Amino acid sequence: MQEMSKKIALVTGANKGIGLGIAHQLAKRGITVLLGARDTARGEQAAAKLRGEALDAHFVRLDLVRPETIEAAAASIAAQFQRLDILVNNAGINDPADGPPSTADLNSVKRAMETNFLGTLAVTQAMLPLLRRAAAARIVNLSSGLASLEKNGDPAWDFASFKLIGYNASKAALNMLTVQPAYELRDTGIKVNSVSPGFVATDMNEHRGTLTIEEGAAGPVRLALLPANGPSGRFFSGDGFHPW
Ligand code: NAP
């Protein structure tokens, strides 16, 4: 059986990009990291890469739009570790047929909502019993500056032209999935926060981002390791708060 002192973290969409960066940084801190991925070969390969650095990393099959994989992942974590200390809801998509409200493909908007919001809600619900069994669990939601209602309404904002109704709305909905669970869990040791990683060079933006994966992973990792007196139900970017 796993020693109680060693934390267990699940990072969704951890086979590449910011998710793999978060998994790497958490594992380097001595945490047992479960790399959620929808593709077995890609997930196994990413976990093997971390194990090659003598880190404690394991692949868990988890596809946000396939409920049976979420249920199976929760059952396997329960059987192997009995609890979960950290859940990083990182997996997400930016659908190519998304666009401004006047022209966005409706199926594309649906796909964004199904993965980024509903899928994340399903994973959170499935993992909550395991998170409740940990001493002081942390949930970190990978949101985006593009989620901000305040920024979306500011024509002078640097990203004002990034009007993707599906992506931006799904991440705004994800922010609700921070505020509401933080309220529901206010009398437990569990903290729930949203974070914008910044504009990070990954496949999602054809590597046009200006931050490295290590830089983008730093904020989510900090929130995954918040001390007992840390905040809950807040939206962060960098070291500070981000406007909702
Ligand atoms: P990425 O390189 O495209 O990685 C996305 C990850 O999510 C991949 O592992 C992908 O798996 C996984 N994924 C997608 N759909 C999934 C599903 N249905 N089930 C399970 N996994 C799924 O993107 P990234 O830039 O690292 O993004 C990570 C998170 O940060 C996302 O939530 C994104 O919205 C957010 N974010 C990114 C930026 C940025 O500048 N990059 C900015 C703000 C927020 P596959 O490899 O199988 O596709």
Side-chain angles (χ1 to χ4, degrees), residues 12-19 36-39 42 62-65 89-93 115-116 142-145 167 171 196-205 209:
T12 66
N15 54 287
K16 67 174 182 179
I18 300 168
R38 58 180 163 179
D39 181 87
R42 290 198 287 268
L62 203 161
D63 185 331
L64 267 60
V65 296
N89 284 316
N90 165 81
I93 59 163
T115 299
N116 299 350
L142 266 284
S143 184
S144 165
Y167 184 81
K171 292 294 185 177
S196 161
F199 192 31
V200 183
T202 66
D203 287 351
M204 185 171 278
N205 51 42

Side-chain angles (χ1 to χ4, degrees), residues 145-157 159-160 163 242-244:
L146 299 179
S148 170
L149 298 176
E150 192 176 324
K151 293 287 186 187
N152 272 268
D154 176 3
W157 177 39
F159 295 94
K163 291 288 186 284
H242 196 284
W244 296 110

Side-chain angles (χ1 to χ4, degrees), residues 34-40 43-44 47 51 57-62:
L34 311 177
L35 288 86
R38 58 180 163 179
D39 181 87
T40 300
E44 290 282 19
R51 284 197 298 272
H58 312 267
F59 160 66
V60 173
R61 183 158 177 259
L62 203 161

Side-chain angles (χ1 to χ4, degrees), residues 212-231:
T212 64
I213 282 175
E214 206 177 347
E215 289 167 336
V221 167
R222 185 178 71 80
L223 293 172
L225 302 174
L226 276 181
N229 63 354

Side-chain angles (χ1 to χ4, degrees), residues 164-233:
L164 301 167
I165 189 65
Y167 184 81
N168 297 18
S170 70
K171 292 294 185 177
L174 180 67
N175 281 347
M176 192 61 82
L177 184 52
T178 291
V179 176
Q180 291 199 357
Y183 173 81
E184 266 195 294
L185 298 166
R186 67 194 179 285
D187 294 328
T188 72
I190 304 176
K191 294 184 189 300
V192 193
N193 288 290
S194 274
V195 59
S196 161
F199 192 31
V200 183
T202 66
D203 287 351
M204 185 171 278
N205 51 42
E206 282 118 17
H207 296 262
R208 281 175 287 124
T210 50
L211 300 178
T212 64
I213 282 175
E214 206 177 347
E215 289 167 336
V221 167
R222 185 178 71 80
L223 293 172
L225 302 174
L226 276 181
N229 63 354
S232 188

